[in-house]
Amino acid sequence: MPRYRGLTLRILAKDSPAIGPGKAALVAHIDETGSISAAARAMGMSYRRAWQLVDALNESFLQPVVLTEIGGRRGGGARVTEFGRELVQAYRRMEHKASIAIARDLREFNRHLRRPDTTRPGKR
Amino acid sequence: MPRYRGLTLRILAKDSPAIGPGKAALVAHIDETGSISAAARAMGMSYRRAWQLVDALNESFLQPVVLTEIGGRRGGGARVTEFGRELVQAYRRMEHKASIAIARDLREFNRHLRRPDTTRPGKR
């Protein structure tokens, strides 16, 4: 789930995670599939858990992140708002900046790991 | 638990968290108290959970992070190794660098939060 080798970043609101790698990936999947259940499946996450995360996202921010349509087959579709897209982009930017800021320290850190995270250099 | 306003950073080993805010704080508390149970109490964490985290830390790295003494009252004491201290310092350095790197983005991000994390500016 983390996009950057060796780190995950979470952004907090009053000490509770507002967005992190899981929620960012979920919103991106909902944006791709137009469906919370399809996004949950793609991530190997339960539908219930995906709903909880969407609820938490919509609660955390002043504007909605995901809009859901009631009715239709399987409870209707879901749509990521423009704000939701910007939110994921903002999170990705912060992840990227943090990753660059600690790149050198991370290499040193990795030397001490029993199983260093060397799957792929840099972004993946 | 997070020391920097608005973010938490986790360092991964093969996609599993090697160290994050919880483990770093636990090691610091063990170093202060010389005891896993006292550290757990100080953090409102179960003794069992604290042990699991210490085990995971010692498993993650090539060198031990916490040494435990068997025997004596309450199962003996615990000692943070020099490597363990350096590890926490290295983690704190990365947390600090990440926090500086995203400070501006975080301020913009905070504007969209329903309950912005404005408890204290900067480090706490």
Side-chain angles (χ1 to χ4, degrees):
Chain A
M1 199 170 322
R3 287 163 67 90
Y4 290 92
R5 184 167 66 106
L7 77 143
T8 55
L9 179 72
R10 278 182 181 75
I11 308 301
L12 310 179
K14 293 262 175 229
D15 288 355
S16 297
I19 190 162
K23 283 177 182 167
L26 180 64
V27 173
H29 275 106
I30 294 172
D31 204 17
E32 265 174 43
T33 61
S35 150
I36 293 175
S37 59
R41 261 198 310 280
M43 294 180 68
M45 182 185 278
S46 75
Y47 185 57
R48 181 184 148 78
R49 176 76 182 139
W51 256 104
Q52 286 171 341
L53 293 178
V54 165
D55 259 359
L57 278 164
N58 284 342
E59 271 300 302
S60 290
F61 297 94
L62 295 167
Q63 296 170 70
V65 175
V66 175
L67 298 174
T68 52
E69 294 154 22
I70 297 169
R73 293 154 302 158
R74 261 217 85 119
R79 190 168 67 71
V80 175
T81 63
E82 194 49 41
F83 171 72
R85 284 196 192 116
E86 283 165 16
L87 185 72
V88 171
Q89 282 164 17
Y91 170 72
R92 297 279 183 234
R93 264 198 308 277
M94 288 190 270
E95 213 182 12
H96 182 66
K97 287 179 181 175
S99 141
I100 288 170
I102 69 166
R104 187 192 293 249
D105 297 71
L106 211 49
R107 274 195 297 276
E108 169 61 21
F109 184 92
N110 256 307
R111 278 196 213 124
H112 301 284
L113 283 170
R114 201 184 290 269
R115 290 171 295 276
D117 198 335
T118 51
T119 37
R120 220 196 287 188
K123 198 175 167 177
R124 53 179 180 186
Chain B
M1 199 171 321
R3 287 163 68 88
Y4 291 92
R5 184 167 64 108
L7 76 142
T8 55
L9 179 71
R10 277 182 181 75
I11 308 302
L12 310 179
K14 292 266 176 223
D15 287 355
S16 296
I19 191 163
K23 283 178 181 165
L26 179 63
V27 174
H29 274 106
I30 293 171
D31 204 16
E32 265 173 44
T33 60
S35 149
I36 293 176
S37 59
R41 260 197 311 279
M43 294 180 69
M45 182 186 279
S46 74
Y47 185 58
R48 183 185 147 77
R49 177 73 182 141
W51 256 104
Q52 285 171 343
L53 293 178
V54 165
D55 259 358
L57 278 164
N58 283 342
E59 271 299 302
S60 291
F61 298 94
L62 295 167
Q63 296 170 69
V65 175
V66 175
L67 298 174
T68 52
E69 294 153 24
I70 297 170
R73 294 153 302 159
R74 259 216 89 118
R79 191 169 66 74
V80 174
T81 62
E82 195 49 42
F83 171 72
R85 284 196 192 116
E86 284 165 15
L87 185 72
V88 171
Q89 281 164 16
Y91 171 73
R92 298 278 183 234
R93 263 198 309 277
M94 289 191 270
E95 212 183 12
H96 182 66
K97 287 180 181 177
S99 140
I100 288 170
I102 70 166
R104 187 192 293 250
D105 297 70
L106 212 49
R107 275 197 295 276
E108 168 62 21
F109 184 92
N110 256 308
R111 280 200 210 119
H112 300 285
L113 283 171
R114 200 183 291 266
R115 291 172 294 277
D117 198 333
T118 52
T119 36
R120 219 196 288 190
K123 195 175 172 180
R124 57 181 177 184

